[in-house]
Amino acid sequence: MKTTYARLRRTLGQLAYEKRYGVRTAELIELDKLGIAGEGRGYYVAASWRTLRRTLSRKEITPRDVFVDFGSGMGRMVLEAARFPFGRVVGVELSEDLHKIAEANVRRTRQRLLCRDIELLHGDVLTYQIPDDVSVAFFNNPFQGLVFATVIERLVASLDRNPRRLKIIYYNPVEERTVLDTGRATLARELVHARRRTAGTPFGLTKVFELR
């Protein structure tokens, strides 16, 4: 009963937030309906609104920091990141439909956001040139396998070109081993958002890695 009540409270809270700001992000959509289904891709569902507030401190973010959401969907985490003092916030999304919704969401809320330099890109992450100043990379399990491994490899390559502090915030981290196998990552934090009552196993897990 407590678990059901907590889930209902979170859902109502998220819907109230969306109504207040006039945005649309709270949907679960199978990728075949978006025309982008493929190996290593599952479905679209946004991470919790509270994810960044639970994993980042405003004190550690400066205008020199850059946030990139790989698989940004309808832009929920882009909007959340823009409430921090990032110098730039970027979202990369393969689905044109989700990308257009994200653009509309940003237009409706831009004046309320702390970071005004927001860039939404429609395209494949494999053709995206990862900027050498990205300091926070966000993944909501948008893809797995070779695609995920390639993006992580390119993040490490960007570190080699420009040594700096780099965090990976990984919501639903099914490819955690790929991150750790780089030999450059350490687990900094782990957050469990809910638990299944029957098995007691994590459900809704976020892991934060530091790359060097």
Side-chain angles (χ1 to χ4, degrees):
M1 179 65 73
K2 290 182 179 180
T3 302
T4 302
Y5 174 74
R7 187 178 297 116
L8 177 60
R9 186 175 62 182
R10 286 194 301 272
T11 299
L12 291 175
Q14 291 184 18
L15 291 176
Y17 186 99
E18 300 214 339
K19 183 177 180 180
R20 176 184 177 187
Y21 289 100
V23 298
R24 171 191 171 194
T25 65
E27 296 179 37
L28 189 155
I29 305 175
E30 298 293 337
L31 297 190
D32 57 353
K33 295 182 179 179
L34 298 170
I36 59 171
E39 185 177 352
R41 300 174 185 152
Y43 52 85
Y44 165 79
V45 63
S48 167
W49 280 109
R50 297 187 297 272
T51 300
L52 295 187
R53 280 172 277 174
R54 296 185 66 193
T55 53
L56 291 176
S57 168
R58 286 179 179 271
K59 295 179 180 179
E60 66 180 310
I61 304 301
T62 75
R64 295 188 301 274
D65 287 298
V66 176
F67 177 96
V68 179
D69 182 358
F70 293 91
S72 49
M74 296 181 183
R76 179 181 288 188
M77 287 301 105
V78 167
L79 294 174
E80 274 294 272
R83 296 174 68 188
F84 286 77
F86 282 101
R88 189 165 83 256
V89 172
V90 182
V92 185
E93 174 54 47
L94 181 62
S95 164
E96 184 176 6
D97 291 340
L98 298 183
H99 170 72
K100 287 181 177 178
I101 294 171
E103 287 185 317
N105 287 335
V106 169
R107 281 196 301 270
R108 293 188 187 103
T109 58
R110 187 182 291 272
Q111 297 305 314
R112 305 184 185 189
L113 302 174
L114 187 58
C115 175
R116 300 295 179 84
D117 189 352
I118 301 170
E119 184 178 13
L120 294 173
L121 302 173
H122 169 230
D124 194 322
V125 293
L126 293 180
T127 61
Y128 172 59
Q129 297 297 315
I130 295 176
D132 286 346
D133 56 354
V134 56
S135 55
V136 179
F138 182 84
F139 297 89
N140 178 15
N141 186 26
F143 35 74
Q144 300 91 41
L146 182 60
V147 177
F148 184 78
T150 300
V151 173
I152 294 300
E153 180 181 290
R154 292 178 180 176
L155 279 171
V156 170
S158 80
L159 270 181
D160 291 337
R161 291 190 297 268
N162 179 32
R164 64 194 184 280
R165 182 189 65 172
L166 174 57
K167 283 188 177 183
I168 292 178
I169 301 176
Y170 195 176
Y171 190 91
N172 190 16
V174 298
E175 295 271 6
E176 173 188 3
R177 191 72 258 163
T178 299
V179 179
L180 294 174
D181 283 349
T182 63
R184 306 281 291 273
T186 56
L187 179 61
R189 293 189 67 189
E190 180 176 312
L191 300 171
V192 177
H193 304 287
R195 288 185 179 276
R196 293 189 182 96
R197 293 187 64 189
T198 52
T201 54
F203 178 72
L205 182 66
T206 299
K207 293 193 176 185
V208 181
F209 300 92
E210 299 274 0
L211 261 65
R212 299 184 184 281

